[in-house]
């Protein structure tokens, strides 16, 4: 009995040893990588090939690769999978642009969290609101967390798409002194009376109520609580 039991243990030992040797063999060295989710991105800019190609697919430091890829400001989330025996797969979620921000002579394309996706010296033809700010410095890949801007971005994110399309420019002042300029020439004045969660419903409700007369709107004043005050041209 003891010899039989010893033989079984010896068999399982060599079986496990063989599996471990096989998993660490050249058969599982990474030879390729794929990117899923952002077809316009250059894989070589987000994959450190020296840290990937030729390395065992089970020993890859995924956290390092995720952090490396997220240096690209256009990427919101990254997850990495394995396609055995020798291919790494990057699954990417892009940052969705919400607005342009103008600071001095620079323009920053930002998402709803205020992260800069792109910096340019000339605004590109994207159908997005332009937020004008004074006295705010920023760099690419740095979150613009000035309080009024965060408030404004949350508001724009929560607006219905058809309402957002009607906003051409946004001017930020102090203490939530925000002006939304409409494409038809009217404007919406905002203050501290309502939160960024309350305002979208109020604005959408008013614009639906005056849908046929929006082109005549001179201003809508939401700086104070109570029924909105507005004036037509």
């Amino acid at each position: 009995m003891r010899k039989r039991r010893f033989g079984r243990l010896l068999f399982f030992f060599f079986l496990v040893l063989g599996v471990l040797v096989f998993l660490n063999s050249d058969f599982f060295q990474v030879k390729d990588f794929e990117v899923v989710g952002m077809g316009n991105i250059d894989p070589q800019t987000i994959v450190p090939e020296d840290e990937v190609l030729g390395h065992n697919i089970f020993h890859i430091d995924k956290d390092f690769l995720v952090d490396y890829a997220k240096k690209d400001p256009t990427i919101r989330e990254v997850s990495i999978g394995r396609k055995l025996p020798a291919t790494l797969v990057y699954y990417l979620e892009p940052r969705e642009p919400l607005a342009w921000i103008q600071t001095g002579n620079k323009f920053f394309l930002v998402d709803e969290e205020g992260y800069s996706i792109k910096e340019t010296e000339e605004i590109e033809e994207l159908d997005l609101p332009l937020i004008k700010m004074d006295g705010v410095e920023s760099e690419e890949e740095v979150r613009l967390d000035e309080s009024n801007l965060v408030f404004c971005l949350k508001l724009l994110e929560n607006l219905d798409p058809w309402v957002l399309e009607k906003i051409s420019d946004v001017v930020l002042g102090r203490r939530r002194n925000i002006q939304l300029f409409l494409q038809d020439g009217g404007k919406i004045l905002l203050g501290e009376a309502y939160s960024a969660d309350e305002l979208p419903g109020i604005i959408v409700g008013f614009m639906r109520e005056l849908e046929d007369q929006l082109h005549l709107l001179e201003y809508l004043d939401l700086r104070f609580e109570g029924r909105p005050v507005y004036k037509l041209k």
Side-chain angles (χ1 to χ4, degrees):
M1 285 293 290
R2 290 182 178 178
K3 290 183 178 181
R4 185 178 300 176
R5 182 179 300 174
F6 177 76
R8 289 177 179 175
L9 291 174
L10 192 61
F11 170 77
F12 282 114
F13 170 78
F14 282 111
L15 177 63
V16 172
L17 181 62
V19 170
L20 291 176
V21 170
F22 177 60
L23 292 179
N24 287 277
S25 68
D26 293 348
F27 185 72
F28 291 103
Q29 284 185 353
V30 178
K31 298 178 179 64
D32 196 11
F33 50 84
E34 298 177 4
V35 174
V36 178
M38 294 177 67
N40 61 336
I41 200 166
D42 182 0
Q44 292 185 338
T45 65
I46 64 170
V47 181
E49 295 188 16
D50 292 343
E51 302 291 336
V52 173
L53 299 180
H55 293 262
N56 187 281
I57 198 169
F58 297 110
H59 298 166
I60 293 290
D61 187 345
K62 289 186 178 182
D63 291 337
F64 167 76
L65 296 184
V66 167
D67 291 340
Y68 188 94
K70 291 178 74 172
K71 291 178 182 179
D72 187 313
T74 65
I75 298 174
R76 180 187 181 96
E77 294 294 342
V78 182
S79 60
I80 297 176
R82 301 184 182 96
K83 185 184 290 186
L84 298 179
T87 301
L88 277 184
V89 183
Y90 279 67
Y91 299 94
L92 307 181
E93 179 184 340
R95 292 192 179 279
E96 297 295 338
L98 177 65
W100 285 99
I101 295 176
Q102 180 179 1
T103 60
N105 58 356
K106 292 184 179 180
F107 298 91
F108 297 88
L109 184 64
V110 300
D111 70 351
E112 73 279 2
E113 295 180 337
Y115 284 92
S116 174
I117 299 172
K118 181 184 295 186
E119 175 187 343
T120 66
E121 293 184 358
E122 294 184 4
I123 193 169
E124 298 178 0
E125 292 300 324
L126 291 180
D127 189 18
L128 299 172
L130 171 62
I131 301 175
K132 299 177 181 179
M133 305 178 64
D134 293 323
V136 176
E137 296 181 357
S138 174
E139 296 179 0
E140 191 175 8
E141 302 177 15
V142 176
R143 186 170 186 269
L144 304 167
D145 53 12
E146 196 272 340
S147 60
N148 272 9
L149 176 59
V150 174
F151 178 88
C152 182
L153 290 175
K154 184 175 181 181
L155 168 63
L156 295 178
E157 180 190 7
N158 292 331
L159 287 174
D160 288 357
W162 70 273
V163 176
L164 189 61
E165 290 175 359
K166 294 182 180 297
I167 298 174
S168 59
D169 299 289
V170 181
V171 176
L172 298 186
R174 297 187 177 185
R175 300 184 66 181
R176 293 189 187 171
N177 180 15
I178 301 173
Q179 300 180 64
L180 308 179
F181 288 85
L182 306 180
Q183 293 179 351
D184 291 329
K187 61 182 178 181
I188 302 175
L189 308 176
L190 306 178
E192 298 181 303
Y194 301 99
S195 69
D197 294 320
E198 296 172 317
L199 281 170
I202 297 173
I203 293 173
V204 171
F206 177 85
M207 293 182 73
R208 288 194 185 280
E209 184 178 333
L210 290 182
E211 188 169 0
D212 296 334
Q213 297 178 293
L214 279 179
H215 64 288
L216 299 175
L217 180 67
E218 183 172 332
Y219 67 81
L220 166 65
D221 194 340
L222 298 176
R223 292 174 296 176
F224 311 99
E225 294 183 2
R227 180 169 176 77
V229 176
Y230 69 93
K231 179 182 180 182
L232 299 179
K233 299 175 184 177

